[in-house]
């Protein structure tokens, strides 16, 4: 498949962002099924670790079948795998899961949309083909305005223990996106995706068990939720990694605006957060983020 063809980029990016948009709702459903509350930090981390370990196994297993041989990393792959596992899985999702336990699915979906903006800022300083233009700078400021808009209400609704941690997770994600683009020039992006999930997921499990984590799986629903979350990660990040490997960060980054759009309305349906999803604050925030992503990605005509 040609991963640089506009139609292919559009289709694969929409699939990836739709899956990411589903994640906040299904994570919160998983919390309910496992009776996890915001104070059970070790159980939250264990849940995340199980999801990404499963995602890594799925990627490695499926790719091994497609290639008709075991997907085994070489010695030169070890360093990129560790770096990606540290930022993309361990760092990003430890903060994300902890933050999501203390905020709403709608808030998390909108904040996740800023990941594309942060990625572009990092890419300006990491890649020579990325330049910080006036429109990109204005776009970043508008994106931050979107976050402020989301928290404007009758009461101050900024939660650094919730929204703040989700924002930190997006910084980790942005760094990992830049590293994927860099490492994919010399390494198999699918191999990196599978083994970084496996490494990061196992690290999360180890940390949670050292903290005394213990989950009780009751009923078949939680197994389907965990499997679906694993599939979300395996499919979405593999597709995103392939797109980043074959395209400039800017070209792919603009599709990140679809994640909060999908996420907000999926949360409205699955979590009954209709009031927040259709509020002036949330819709205004989505508008500013989409506008910001357009501005930071538009290119001057020759």
């Amino acid at each position: 498949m040609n991963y640089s063809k506009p139609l292919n980029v559009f289709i694969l990016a929409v699939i990836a962002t739709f899956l990411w948009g589903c994640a906040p709702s299904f994570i919160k459903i998983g919390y309910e099924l496992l009776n996890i509350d915001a104070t059970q930090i070790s159980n939250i981390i264990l849940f995340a670790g199980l999801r990404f370990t499963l995602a890594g196994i799925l990627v490695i297993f499926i790719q091994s079948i497609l290639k008709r041989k075991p997907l085994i990393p070489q010695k030169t792959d070890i360093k990129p795998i560790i770096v990606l596992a540290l930022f993309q899985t361990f760092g990003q999702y430890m903060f994300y899961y902890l933050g999501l336990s203390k905020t709403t699915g709608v808030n998390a979906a909108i904040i996740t949309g800023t990941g594309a903006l942060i990625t572009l800022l990092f890419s300006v300083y990491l890649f020579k083909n990325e330049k910080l233009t006036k429109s990109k700078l204005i776009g970043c400021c508008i994106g931050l305005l979107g976050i402020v808009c989301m928290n404007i209400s009758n009461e101050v609704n900024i939660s650094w223990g919730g929204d703040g941690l989700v924002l930190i997770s997006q910084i980790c994600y942005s760094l990992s996106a830049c590293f994927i683009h860099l490492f994919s020039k010399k390494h198999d992006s699918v191999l990196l995706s599978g083994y970084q999930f496996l490494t990061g997921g196992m690290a999360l499990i180890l940390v949670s068990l050292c903290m005394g984590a213990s989950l009780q799986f009751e009923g078949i629903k939680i197994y389907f939720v965990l499997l679906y979350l694993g599939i979300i990660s395996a499919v979405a990040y593999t597709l995103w990694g392939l797109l980043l490997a074959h395209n400039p960060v800017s070209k792919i980054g603009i599709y990140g605006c679809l994640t909060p759009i999908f996420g907000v309305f999926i949360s409205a349906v699955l979590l009954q957060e209709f009031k927040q999803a259709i509020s002036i604050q949330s819709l205004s925030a989505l508008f500013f983020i989409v506008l910001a992503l357009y501005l930071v990605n538009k290119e001057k005509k020759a």
Side-chain angles (χ1 to χ4, degrees), residues 133 135-136 250 254 292-300:
T133 62
S135 62
K136 288 183 179 181
S250 301
I254 191 169
L293 287 168
Y294 166 74
L295 289 173
V296 298
N297 282 281
K298 75 174 184 177
E299 298 178 358
K300 292 183 178 180

Side-chain angles (χ1 to χ4, degrees), residues 104-115 117 139-153 157 163 256-262 264-265 276-294:
T104 64
V106 170
N107 271 25
I110 295 175
I111 295 174
T112 300
T114 63
L117 297 172
C140 289
C141 293
I142 291 176
L144 292 176
L145 178 61
I147 299 300
V148 174
C149 250
M150 183 187 66
N151 287 286
I152 294 177
S153 60
N157 192 31
D163 297 343
C257 68
L258 297 175
T259 299
I261 292 175
F262 285 136
V264 164
F265 294 103
Q276 186 178 5
I278 62 175
S279 68
I280 294 177
Q281 291 87 352
S282 293
L283 294 178
S284 297
L286 285 173
F287 169 77
F288 282 125
I289 288 174
V290 172
L291 176 61
L293 287 168
Y294 166 74

Side-chain angles (χ1 to χ4, degrees), residues 17 47 52 64-65 132 148 153 160 182 201 233 260 287:
T17 51
F47 185 44
F52 294 111
S64 295
I65 292 177
L132 184 61
V148 174
S153 60
W160 288 110
L182 178 64
S233 298
F287 169 77

Side-chain angles (χ1 to χ4, degrees), residues 114-172:
T114 63
L117 297 172
I118 301 171
T119 300
L120 287 167
L121 283 176
F122 284 143
S123 69
V124 165
Y125 299 101
L126 292 177
F127 302 105
K128 294 180 181 180
N129 63 329
E130 300 286 344
K131 296 181 180 180
L132 184 61
T133 62
K134 183 178 179 180
S135 62
K136 288 183 179 181
L137 182 60
I138 294 173
C140 289
C141 293
I142 291 176
L144 292 176
L145 178 61
I147 299 300
V148 174
C149 250
M150 183 187 66
N151 287 286
I152 294 177
S153 60
N154 294 329
E155 299 178 358
V156 177
N157 192 31
I158 298 177
S159 170
W160 288 110
D163 297 343
L165 291 179
V166 175
L167 185 58
I168 292 174
S169 78
Q170 292 311 298
I171 294 175
C172 291

Side-chain angles (χ1 to χ4, degrees), residues 45-46 48-60 71-74 77-94 190-208:
I45 296 175
L46 177 56
L50 291 173
R51 170 192 175 186
F52 294 111
T53 300
L54 176 59
I57 293 172
L58 288 173
V59 172
I60 295 168
L71 188 67
I72 301 174
Q74 304 298 313
D77 296 321
I78 302 300
K79 183 178 179 180
I81 289 172
I82 293 175
V83 171
L84 290 177
L86 177 63
F87 287 98
Q88 185 170 325
T89 298
F90 186 84
Q92 177 188 354
Y93 281 98
M94 184 172 68
V190 177
L191 181 145
L192 294 181
S193 178
Y195 278 95
Q196 73 84 15
F197 276 138
L198 184 62
T199 303
M202 293 177 67
L204 288 169
I205 291 175
L206 180 61
V207 169
S208 67

Side-chain angles (χ1 to χ4, degrees), residues 12-31:
L12 296 179
V14 167
I15 292 173
T17 51
F18 174 80
L19 290 172
W20 278 329
C22 294
S25 299
F26 278 89
I27 291 170
K28 294 187 80 68
I29 290 172
Y31 287 164

